[in-house]
Amino acid sequence: MNAIISASELADELAGGAPPVLLDVRWQLSVAKAAGEPPFDGRAAYAAGHIPGAVYVDLDRALASAPGEGGRHPLPDLAVFGAAMRAAGVSARTPVVVYDGGQGWAAARAWWLLGWTGHPSVRVLDGGLPTWEGPLSTDVRQPAEGDFQPVGGTPGLLDADGAAALARSGVLFDARAGERYRGEVEPIDRVGGHIPGAVSAPTTQNVAEDGRFLPADQLKERFRSLGAAEGTDVGVYCGSGVSGAHEVLALAVAGIPSALYVGSWSQWSSDPDRPVAVGPDPQ
């Protein structure tokens, strides 16, 4: 099954006899704001209008555990994650579609986590909510309890040592903005720069101006040009394992399997014993 779905395809499936479970995962990275500016409230955005039938999922509570040694968005406790998914109506035999406000990062995190824990059919709405042309709803749906039971320990996950090794043996993509990769700016973490050997591949270059993914052949050519040759092991990291999931999704659209270093730069840079590279050169 394709990893992404268009708004028109989603509308057709929702109108059919076996609609997918639909998850609204609107979220924005919390960074320093002007004094008095409130943080983004995904639940309030959902309440103000969402695709009919969608259930809201809180990324920080359901798709990650509390910030700490594992980074800003470590893996959630699987029991907590499973309970949240079942409460949202997710079952093992029912397809799932996830969307966010258009950036695609949060939806990709849900897509990756559901797939990594064993759900066989998860897709992301390409371009997110802005591509939806149908009506919006303010009804808060209370779905029937699902039966999804997440399973950990499957391939597709990197830790810090695994990411360091992959940067030498395969290709490790850094999905952050180029200036953060080069260490020119670092608005969030302790130190700027990148994992030695990692290749800069900003996730923003995987999409068109409307937020939709580039065609699969263009994505494949992009990643091949950056070192993801046939048979090469590929990994991705970002700041805290959210935008990196979007890069993993782009790689999947291109037909290239990859693994995600969830701790990402927020974990790596917090350890003073981990080496840091700066500048445009991977090393």
Side-chain angles (χ1 to χ4, degrees):
M1 177 174 287
N2 292 333
I4 56 176
I5 183 172
S6 70
S8 60
E9 291 170 333
L10 176 59
D12 288 343
E13 291 195 13
L14 290 174
V21 172
L22 186 59
L23 305 180
D24 182 315
V25 199
R26 273 179 278 182
W27 170 89
Q28 289 182 12
L29 179 65
S30 296
V31 296
K33 301 285 186 179
E37 184 178 344
F40 176 78
D41 187 337
R43 189 176 294 278
Y46 167 83
H50 51 267
I51 298 176
V55 177
Y56 177 70
V57 172
D58 188 316
L59 184 148
D60 291 311
R61 296 185 179 184
L63 307 181
S65 55
E69 292 182 358
R72 277 193 307 281
H73 292 102
L75 285 175
D77 178 90
L78 289 188
V80 173
F81 171 66
M85 292 300 97
R86 291 189 295 274
V90 175
S91 290
R93 292 170 297 280
T94 304
V96 177
V97 173
V98 292
Y99 73 88
D100 58 24
Q103 188 179 46
W105 295 3
R109 172 73 175 222
W111 166 85
W112 177 83
L113 192 52
L114 278 164
W116 179 71
T117 56
H119 199 288
S121 177
V122 188
R123 290 164 292 170
V124 170
L125 175 59
D126 193 16
L129 186 60
T131 68
W132 179 255
E133 296 181 352
L136 297 180
S137 172
T138 57
D139 294 338
V140 177
R141 182 169 175 248
Q142 298 296 327
E145 183 88 0
D147 63 15
F148 177 65
Q149 297 288 341
V151 178
T154 55
L157 176 67
L158 293 171
D159 60 11
D161 290 339
L166 187 58
R168 297 188 298 269
S169 65
V171 61
L172 180 67
F173 289 136
D174 184 318
R176 298 172 301 158
E179 58 268 25
R180 291 186 69 191
Y181 170 88
R182 295 187 296 270
E184 296 166 359
V185 298
E186 182 44 65
I188 306 172
D189 293 312
R190 185 184 66 86
V191 63
H194 59 269
I195 296 173
V199 176
S200 180
T203 196
T204 52
Q205 295 179 20
N206 297 325
V207 298
E209 290 185 2
D210 62 3
R212 293 180 173 92
F213 281 106
L214 298 175
D217 58 344
Q218 292 185 31
L219 289 172
K220 186 172 184 177
E221 177 57 31
R222 180 191 184 217
F223 292 123
R224 295 296 189 218
S225 71
L226 292 172
E230 191 75 31
T232 301
D233 290 333
V234 178
V236 179
Y237 76 96
C238 57
S240 64
V242 179
S243 67
H246 191 264
E247 186 116 301
V248 172
L249 176 58
L251 283 155
V253 172
I256 302 172
S258 61
L260 178 65
Y261 172 27
V262 173
S264 285
W265 190 247
S266 62
Q267 181 187 41
W268 183 279
S269 64
S270 68
D271 183 349
D273 293 330
R274 294 281 179 187
V276 171
V278 296
D281 191 288
Q283 303 300 330

